[in-house]
Amino acid sequence: AQKVTQAQTEISVVEKEDVTLDCVYETRDTTYYLFWYKQPPSGELVFLIRRNSFDEQNEISGRYSWNFQKSTSSFNFTITASQVVDSAVYFCALRFGGFKTIFGAGTRLFVKA
Amino acid sequence: DTGVSQNPRHKITKRGQNVTFRCDPISEHNRLYWYRQTLGQGPEFLTYFQNEAQLEKSRLLSDRFSAERPKGSFSTLEIQRTEQGDSAMYLCASSLTSGLSTNEKLFFGSGTQLSVL
């Protein structure tokens, strides 16, 4: 089965704390792509990052970093020194086979000032 | 780049009525997707167009749902004989890709929130 699990439904942190959003995926395919999207209150999902299944190199972009581990089928997302503007719903997504992308249920992040 | 535009933003209708939503993708994007999102869930794939051709449809898309992209630009999603279970946010996304590439990032619109009374 192809599946994305985001076990954390909601996370609440205080500004400047670090926070990690977990993502576990299942797929039978050997070639696949993983994504993270952010959905702010306005509703429009915004692309954050893409990784392919052959590239396990971790990535850092400003305060954002991603840890991809094929051995545990995980693609976790860390925000360092969180800010109020980071408050949103974050979705992990998996693209496999054809052109369909499946999304996890999302993690709602609240960052309090 | 004006982004993906969806109209209307909100639609309230009575059960049994037909509704139509429109999506205008980013102008040069050749792929267009429709997703449905219910409260507390991630987007669920409905259908996908490569230019004007509808290449894939989800089993979620019953016979009451039809989507078109007549000239490979804007797309419409029609729901006939709406049911309360159709209430959801309908999201459109577009992307620019070449050949059979499947790793492109999606650009989403703000969605159309449908409420069926």
Side-chain angles (χ1 to χ4, degrees):
Chain A
Q2 321 279 5
K3 188 178 176 182
V4 175
T5 301
Q6 294 180 254
Q8 303 151 308
T9 306
E10 289 187 0
I11 300 176
S12 183
V13 298
V14 176
E15 208 170 20
K16 297 184 184 176
E17 283 186 23
D18 298 347
V19 58
T20 295
L21 310 182
D22 298 333
C23 173
V24 174
Y25 64 92
E26 293 176 34
T27 180
R28 292 185 295 268
D29 290 33
T30 54
T31 300
Y32 53 89
Y33 302 92
L34 295 164
F35 300 79
W36 276 94
Y37 285 85
K38 174 182 180 180
Q39 188 175 39
S42 62
E44 191 173 315
L45 278 89
V46 176
F47 167 85
L48 294 177
I49 190 167
R50 165 185 56 210
R51 306 302 286 174
N52 73 55
S53 52
F54 300 108
D55 181 5
E56 287 192 72
Q57 193 170 22
N58 292 328
E59 183 162 336
I60 297 175
S61 175
R63 295 184 298 107
Y64 295 170
S65 62
W66 290 270
N67 184 329
F68 176 25
Q69 293 194 344
K70 285 181 75 172
S71 60
T72 55
S73 297
S74 65
F75 186 42
N76 297 338
F77 172 30
T78 298
I79 302 175
T80 302
S82 58
Q83 300 176 0
V84 173
V85 293
D86 296 327
S87 296
V89 182
Y90 291 86
F91 291 98
C92 179
L94 167 70
R95 172 166 279 194
F96 56 93
F99 307 100
K100 184 163 54 178
T101 300
I102 59 171
F103 289 79
T107 297
R108 183 176 294 276
L109 175 65
F110 294 98
V111 182
K112 295 178 283 190
Chain B
D1 180 353
T2 58
V4 178
S5 176
Q6 291 189 246
N7 290 288
R9 287 298 308 275
H10 303 276
K11 179 70 177 179
I12 300 174
T13 191
K14 292 183 179 178
R15 191 175 50 186
Q17 298 294 304
N18 299 343
V19 294
T20 300
F21 311 140
R22 177 179 170 123
C23 171
D24 287 272
I26 294 172
S27 59
E28 68 272 19
H29 282 188
N30 53 353
R31 288 187 183 166
L32 187 147
Y33 301 78
W34 284 98
Y35 283 83
R36 180 172 67 187
Q37 185 179 19
T38 53
L39 199 62
Q41 299 298 316
E44 295 175 293
F45 171 81
L46 293 178
T47 190
Y48 146 72
F49 291 85
Q50 174 100 6
N51 299 311
E52 67 276 7
Q54 188 174 20
L55 298 186
E56 193 169 340
K57 289 172 62 172
S58 165
R59 283 173 290 179
L60 292 174
L61 218 63
S62 74
D63 291 344
R64 298 184 297 104
F65 287 71
S66 62
E68 294 182 343
R69 195 183 183 198
K71 298 181 180 178
S73 56
F74 74 92
S75 175
T76 57
L77 177 68
E78 180 182 16
I79 309 175
Q80 296 182 326
R81 304 181 303 281
T82 52
E83 301 172 357
Q84 287 184 325
D86 298 331
S87 297
M89 174 77 82
Y90 290 83
L91 296 168
C92 176
S94 69
S95 67
L96 176 64
T97 190
S98 59
L100 297 176
S101 172
T102 59
N103 68 344
E104 80 275 19
K105 63 183 181 183
L106 302 178
F107 292 81
F108 282 84
S110 296
T112 294
Q113 180 66 53
L114 173 66
S115 298
V116 181
L117 305 178

